[in-house]
């Protein structure tokens, strides 16, 4: 029996004692008044506690705090010598319901403490989740707003893959701007200069090219857009598929192009003209490193040479600029191109680090 008392007392200290064991524990305390052996064990226990508590006020205080919710042990801790009579009097005036009520209050305080801890943890988790969601939304928004700018300097060309799988061949002296991610209902890019587009088909998300005052819309096709700021017109040439072109301000009716058709938008009259081209490959030859001129004024040829080779072309006689040029040059140096033109239209030229100077009397009759 004495061992059982020790076990119950240890459970009480550890706060692991249940309601039934608590009632039995209190009954042992009451019996200690008449049971010399039990009384001796209880005294031994208190002497042990006193011995362990010497020089360890903090531990003793902590130990007392374990029992401060219980009025029975509080009496014992205050007065070791007269514990039996006091405990006996308390038990006689108490009922089992009182004991259970006290224990329920302890449980309430215990669970309320855990509830508060859980509530705080839940708030932290919710706050962290909200922060993560907002940060991801901000990251996504930032990604949607982020744009990439690609340029091809004079004398250079580049191939640019787009986020949707489309591929753009960018000509010399050109610039392409596009988002890192194509969000929304369309795939929009902005072009300044010349580029050939091979668009990945997506019927649910049209591909839109904004070039100056002209807007080109496709679902999936290949086409060329030439829109240098210094040119008088913007040109769209279709290689495959179907393309819609319209003015940005909506003042020109939308026009639809099919292969071998070319749209030209004049900045001055703000009108779209459509024509068929017998050999569309002439307009797309630049992709293969081919310069091809078919009855083109020398002034226009000069602008192409400036972009192609990265030089400045100057005419000493403006009449030479009106000469019409025919010819094809594949991966030729500027010097070889000018040698061919020299014999074709009777001109002279001078190529230096400052640029290309063209001289001559005029066009041959």
């Amino acid at each position: 029996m004495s061992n059982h008392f020790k076990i119950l007392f240890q459970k009480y200290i550890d706060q692991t004692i249940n309601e039934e064991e608590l009632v039995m524990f209190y009954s042992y305390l009451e019996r200690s008044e008449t049971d010399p052996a039990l009384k001796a064990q209880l005294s031994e226990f208190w002497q042990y506690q006193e011995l362990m508590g010497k020089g360890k006020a903090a531990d003793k205080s902590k130990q007392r705090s374990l029992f401060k919710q219980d009025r029975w042990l509080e009496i014992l801790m205050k007065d070791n010598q007269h514990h039996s009579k006091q405990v006996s009097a308390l038990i006689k005036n108490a009922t089992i319901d009182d004991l259970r009520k006290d224990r329920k209050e302890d449980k309430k305080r215990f669970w309320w403490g855990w509830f508060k801890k859980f509530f705080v943890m839940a708030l932290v988790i919710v706050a962290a989740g909200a922060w993560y969601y907002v940060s991801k939304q901000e990251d996504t928004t930032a990604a949607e707003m982020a744009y990439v700018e690609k340029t091809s300097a004079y004398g250079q060309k580049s191939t640019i893959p787009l986020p949707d799988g489309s591929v753009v061949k960018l000509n010399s002296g050109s610039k392409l701007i596009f988002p890192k991610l194509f969000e929304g209902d369309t795939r929009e890019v902005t072009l300044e200069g010349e580029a050939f587009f091979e668009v990945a088909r997506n019927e649910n998300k049209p591909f839109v090219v904004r070039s100056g005052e002209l807007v080109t819309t496709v679902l999936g096709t290949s086409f060329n857009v030439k829109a240098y700021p210094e040119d008088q017109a913007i040109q769209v040439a279709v290689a495959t598929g179907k393309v819609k072109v319209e003015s940005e301000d909506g003042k020109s009716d939308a026009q639809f192009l099919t292969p071998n058709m070319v749209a030209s938008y004049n900045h001055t009259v703000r009108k779209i003209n459509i024509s068929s081209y017998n050999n569309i490959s002439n307009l797309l030859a630049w992709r293969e490193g081919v310069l091809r001129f078919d009855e083109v004024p020398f002034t226009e040829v000069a602008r192409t040479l400036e972009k192609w080779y990265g030089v400045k072309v100057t005419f000493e006689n403006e009449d030479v600029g009106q000469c019409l040029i025919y010819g094809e040059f594949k991966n030729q140096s500027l010097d070889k191109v000018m040698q061919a033109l020299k014999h074709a239209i009777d001109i002279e030229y001078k190529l230096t680090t400052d640029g290309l100077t063209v001289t001559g009397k005029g066009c041959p009759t």
Side-chain angles (χ1 to χ4, degrees):
M1 184 179 296
S2 59
N3 287 335
H4 190 209
F5 172 71
K6 289 181 180 180
I7 293 172
L8 292 178
F9 217 136
Q10 189 61 49
K11 283 190 174 184
Y12 188 91
I13 293 173
D14 296 338
Q15 294 186 331
T16 60
I17 195 168
N18 60 38
E19 292 184 3
E20 290 74 13
E21 291 172 331
L22 184 64
V23 173
M24 186 173 294
F25 172 65
Y26 287 141
S27 70
Y28 277 133
L29 293 179
E30 183 180 12
R31 286 169 52 193
S32 67
E33 184 178 3
T34 58
D35 188 335
L38 193 58
K39 186 174 183 178
Q41 284 194 358
L42 189 59
S43 297
E44 182 182 344
F45 172 80
W46 292 120
Q47 290 173 7
Y48 175 76
Q49 293 299 318
E50 290 294 330
L51 179 62
M52 293 299 293
K54 287 182 179 179
K56 298 181 179 179
D59 292 343
K60 195 171 182 180
S61 174
K62 181 179 179 182
Q63 205 170 53
R64 287 174 180 271
S65 68
L66 293 173
F67 310 132
K68 67 181 181 179
Q69 303 295 340
D70 196 306
R71 61 192 183 199
W72 313 117
L73 264 294
E74 187 175 4
I75 294 295
L76 292 175
M77 296 298 287
K78 285 181 178 179
D79 190 351
N80 181 25
Q81 295 180 353
H82 305 288
H83 67 277
S84 297
K85 292 182 180 180
Q86 291 169 325
V87 170
S88 179
L90 283 171
I91 292 178
K92 287 178 181 179
N93 294 324
T95 65
I96 296 300
D97 290 339
D98 291 331
L99 301 179
R100 290 179 175 175
K101 182 178 180 181
D102 289 342
R103 202 60 179 174
K104 286 180 180 179
E105 290 297 323
D106 290 343
K107 286 186 175 181
K108 286 181 180 179
R109 283 187 287 269
F110 173 80
W111 288 113
W112 174 243
W114 274 105
F115 173 76
K116 288 191 291 185
K117 292 179 182 178
F118 176 78
F119 182 73
V120 172
M121 290 176 62
L123 283 179
V124 172
I125 292 172
V126 171
W131 173 85
Y132 179 78
Y133 175 78
V134 171
S135 64
K136 292 299 288 183
Q137 291 296 106
E138 290 176 351
D139 290 344
T140 302
T141 302
E144 291 174 1
M145 297 297 291
Y147 283 82
V148 178
E149 181 177 306
K150 295 289 186 179
T151 59
S152 285
Y154 285 167
Q156 298 179 355
K157 298 175 184 63
S158 57
T159 300
I160 303 168
L162 298 183
D164 65 332
S166 300
V167 179
V168 181
K169 182 80 172 182
L170 199 61
N171 203 352
S172 303
S174 302
K175 178 171 64 178
L176 183 71
I177 301 174
F178 58 92
K180 286 186 176 180
L181 293 175
F182 284 122
E183 298 291 340
D185 298 330
T186 60
R187 298 169 285 168
E188 294 196 16
V189 303
T190 301
L191 172 68
E192 181 180 301
E194 185 171 18
F196 182 80
F197 295 87
E198 292 181 285
V199 178
R201 189 169 186 82
N202 186 342
E203 296 182 358
N204 298 320
K205 187 175 288 191
F207 190 94
V208 179
V209 180
R210 297 187 178 276
S211 52
E213 301 171 33
L214 198 67
V215 179
T216 306
T217 304
V218 303
L219 297 178
T221 184
S222 58
F223 59 100
N224 193 80
V225 178
K226 185 179 180 184
Y228 288 105
E230 64 272 19
D231 291 348
Q232 293 183 348
I234 302 171
Q235 184 187 78
V236 177
V238 179
T240 62
K242 188 176 182 180
V243 173
K244 180 176 76 171
V245 293
E246 57 190 327
S247 61
E248 192 172 38
D249 57 14
K251 292 183 178 180
S252 295
D253 294 337
Q255 303 287 339
F256 292 89
L257 310 178
T258 53
N260 297 320
M261 294 183 69
V262 178
S264 180
Y265 177 82
N266 189 286
H267 297 289
T268 304
V269 298
R270 296 186 176 182
K271 183 179 179 181
I272 301 174
N273 292 316
I274 306 297
S275 60
S276 296
Y277 215 90
N278 293 331
N279 192 357
I280 201 75
S281 61
N282 287 344
L283 300 178
L284 308 179
W286 66 267
R287 298 176 302 156
E288 309 301 329
V290 176
L291 281 173
R292 186 174 293 161
F293 305 112
D294 186 8
E295 200 174 4
V296 178
F298 202 169
T299 51
E300 185 174 333
V301 171
R303 288 198 297 270
T304 300
L305 296 178
E306 287 179 338
K307 298 181 182 69
W308 201 275
Y309 297 102
V311 298
K312 176 65 178 176
V313 180
T314 302
F315 291 100
E316 287 192 350
N317 182 357
E318 293 183 358
D319 290 340
V320 176
Q322 304 306 313
C323 299
L324 299 179
I325 304 298
Y326 302 83
E328 179 177 308
F329 310 92
K330 184 173 184 178
N331 297 321
Q332 298 291 317
S333 66
L334 177 59
D335 188 56
K336 287 189 176 182
V337 172
M338 293 307 300
Q339 283 287 343
L341 295 180
K342 174 183 177 179
H343 297 294
I345 57 175
D346 190 22
I347 59 171
E348 296 292 334
Y349 70 94
K350 185 177 181 181
L351 183 60
T352 67
T353 55
D354 295 329
L356 173 67
T357 303
V358 180
T359 60
K361 296 180 181 180
C363 305
T365 56

